[in-house]
């Protein structure tokens, strides 16, 4: 049975000049540029992005690294001459999907790490965005980790997506929250949001952008995934039947494991040509950064079709109200 068509909520608006970065902007081998962390840095905007290069066939590429770019306006970007981060040894296959968070003056990058024995979540710190020191690496299988920009009750907090294939069934992955005194030792986990909480998800959900503090609570942006076996081929692979949307939720400021509300409809659904028809895996919008702009406008950067980087904007109060609506 085909899943229903989903629509973007009217409170959010895509930038008319999307996408804001493609592989053509990268001065070294590049095929796909997506899933970027973005922060303000020394009076400018800074972005670390996933770069897959030299497509071989289907979902195979010669390699993946993480690039760095700067911008004066968050729209027009200049990519640094070389990648800034890559992990590979006998056990580690690649690092990808970076998120950037300024935690009380220290910049951290979280990212996924494919190893030969499972996927892990990594945390590294940096003082200049060019050089990184590993802080911690989770056990398999866990990924999509994002850090809160400040400690809560003296503890660092992170959202994460464990991948319990045996206990929940294939893909039924949810969002959890855990805490740490030092960013190395993590515990006290709580289930935060489950797949079944979102009427438009039937496969998995996960953290997207690092949380954004508001007076009403922590705004978080998640990806939600539904599967429709009738979709068939969508993109470069023989079969791609998933659709990724963006949702928003609101957490308590002092007890962020308490959910105050979440959107019952998508905030952003794939609709444009660069999201639905052009790209590696179409029907994908994947949030990776959220920044407060002037006049309480929230800018959400997202990967589109696993191929390019785009952004959309909404008013903070509209996002909060969307979380608190019953429908």
């Amino acid at each position: 049975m085909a899943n229903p068509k989903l629509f973007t909520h009217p409170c959010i608006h895509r930038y008319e000049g999307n996408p804001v970065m493609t592989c053509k902007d990268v001065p070294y081998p590049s095929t796909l540029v997506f899933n970027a962390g973005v922060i303000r840095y020394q009076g400018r905007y800074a972005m670390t992005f996933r770069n897959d290069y030299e497509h071989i066939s289907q979902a195979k590429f010669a390699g993946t690294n993480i690039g760095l770019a700067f911008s004066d306006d968050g729209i027009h970007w200049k990519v640094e001459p070389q990648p800034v981060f890559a992990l590979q040894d006998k056990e580690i296959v690649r690092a990808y999907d970076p998120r950037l968070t300024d935690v009380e003056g220290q910049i951290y990058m979280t990212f996924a790490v494919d190893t030969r024995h499972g996927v892990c979540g990594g945390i590294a710190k940096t003082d200049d965005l060019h050089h990184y020191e590993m802080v911690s690496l989770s056990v398999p299988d866990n990924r999509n980790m994002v850090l809160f920009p400040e400690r809560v009750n003296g503890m660092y907090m992170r959202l994460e997506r464990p991948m319990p294939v045996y206990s929940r069934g294939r893909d039924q992955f949810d969002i959890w929250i855990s805490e740490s005194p030092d960013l190395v030792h993590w515990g006290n986990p709580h289930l935060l949001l489950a797949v079944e909480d979102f009427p438009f998800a039937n496969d998995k959900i996960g953290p997207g952008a690092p949380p954004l503090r508001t007076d009403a609570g922590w705004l978080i942006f998640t990806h939600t995934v539904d599967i429709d076996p009738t979709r068939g081929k969508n993109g470069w692979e023989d079969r791609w039947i998933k659709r990724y949307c963006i949702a928003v939720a609101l957490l308590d400021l002092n007890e962020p494991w308490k959910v105050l509300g979440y959107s019952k409809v998508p905030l952003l659904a794939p609709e444009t040509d660069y999201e639905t028809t052009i790209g590696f895996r179409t029907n994908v919008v994947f949030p990776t950064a959220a920044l407060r702009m002037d006049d309480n406008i929230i800018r959400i950067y997202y990967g589109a079709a696993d191929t390019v980087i785009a952004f959309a904007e909404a008013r903070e109060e509209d996002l909060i109200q969307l979380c608190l609506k019953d429908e």
Side-chain angles (χ1 to χ4, degrees):
M1 180 177 179
N3 291 355
K5 184 173 178 59
L6 299 176
F7 299 93
T8 294
H9 195 273
C11 78
I12 193 166
H13 304 280
R14 292 170 174 84
Y15 172 56
E16 292 182 355
N18 278 342
V20 294
M21 186 180 292
T22 75
C23 63
K24 296 179 181 178
D25 298 307
V26 181
Y28 43 85
S30 179
T31 307
L32 308 176
V33 172
F34 61 113
N35 291 3
V38 183
I39 59 170
R40 288 189 176 87
Y41 176 75
Q42 296 183 353
R44 295 191 293 169
Y45 296 83
M47 170 194 289
T48 53
F49 59 88
R50 172 176 172 173
N51 178 61
D52 289 2
Y53 58 91
E54 297 178 13
H55 181 241
I56 299 172
S57 66
Q58 297 292 304
K60 294 182 179 179
F61 294 80
T64 298
N65 51 43
I66 293 175
L68 173 65
F70 293 99
S71 171
D72 291 329
D73 57 9
I75 300 173
H76 305 92
W77 295 88
K78 183 174 178 56
V79 179
E80 294 290 276
Q82 298 293 332
V84 295
F85 192 83
L87 292 177
Q88 190 169 5
D89 58 25
K90 291 182 179 180
E91 173 61 19
I92 294 176
V93 178
R94 62 173 182 167
Y96 56 100
D97 288 357
R99 313 286 200 278
L100 290 175
T101 314
D102 184 331
V103 184
E104 300 172 355
Q106 175 66 61
I107 299 173
Y108 293 93
M109 185 173 72
T110 58
F111 46 92
V113 181
D114 283 350
T115 79
R116 302 191 188 282
H117 294 85
V119 60
C120 306
I123 302 175
K125 65 179 180 179
T126 179
D127 293 323
D128 61 5
L129 293 171
H130 287 84
H131 305 89
Y132 295 82
E133 177 186 343
M134 286 294 297
V135 175
S136 65
L137 189 67
S138 77
V139 297
D141 280 312
N142 203 346
R143 60 169 296 184
N144 290 136
M145 295 177 176
V146 295
L147 296 175
F148 283 65
E150 60 187 71
R151 282 173 284 189
V152 179
N153 303 319
M155 302 292 281
Y156 295 97
M157 310 293 297
R158 78 180 180 194
L159 305 179
E160 56 198 352
R161 194 195 72 187
M163 302 163 73
V165 174
Y166 290 105
S167 61
R168 285 278 282 160
R170 182 166 181 83
D171 269 23
Q172 293 288 306
F173 306 148
D174 313 297
I175 300 175
W176 288 67
I177 185 170
S178 59
E179 62 184 36
S180 170
D182 55 8
L183 293 169
V184 176
H185 305 91
W186 291 90
N188 195 24
H190 292 78
L191 174 65
L192 192 70
L193 289 162
V195 176
E196 57 267 27
D197 290 329
F198 293 93
F200 47 96
N202 65 13
D203 183 51
K204 59 185 175 182
I205 63 172
L212 186 66
R213 184 187 180 97
T214 74
D215 291 341
W218 293 104
L219 270 179
I220 66 168
F221 300 91
T222 73
H223 62 271
T224 65
V225 184
D226 72 278
I227 285 181
D228 181 347
T230 68
R231 291 194 186 113
K233 180 175 174 60
N234 287 280
W236 299 359
E237 297 174 271
D238 289 338
R239 188 168 176 81
W240 177 251
I241 59 176
K242 296 182 180 181
R243 173 174 54 185
Y244 281 67
C245 294
I246 298 175
V248 60
L250 188 68
L251 311 180
D252 186 87
L253 283 177
N254 299 313
E255 297 176 301
W257 51 89
K258 293 183 177 180
V259 179
L260 302 180
Y262 53 91
S263 57
K264 309 306 186 295
V265 295
L267 173 63
L268 198 76
E271 292 171 331
T272 69
D273 59 352
Y274 55 86
E275 297 164 351
T276 63
T277 60
I278 302 172
F280 170 54
R281 287 174 170 165
T282 56
N283 297 308
V284 172
V285 290
F286 193 101
T288 53
L291 300 181
R292 182 178 285 106
M293 312 302 288
D294 293 336
D295 300 322
N296 274 347
I297 295 295
I298 306 301
R299 177 180 293 178
I300 303 157
Y301 290 89
Y302 64 95
D306 280 3
T307 304
V308 298
I309 298 167
F311 75 78
E313 294 182 333
R315 295 193 309 166
E316 179 180 308
E317 56 266 37
D318 290 341
L319 294 170
I320 292 170
Q321 286 304 309
L322 181 59
C323 293
L324 299 177
K325 284 184 178 180
D326 292 333
E327 298 181 358

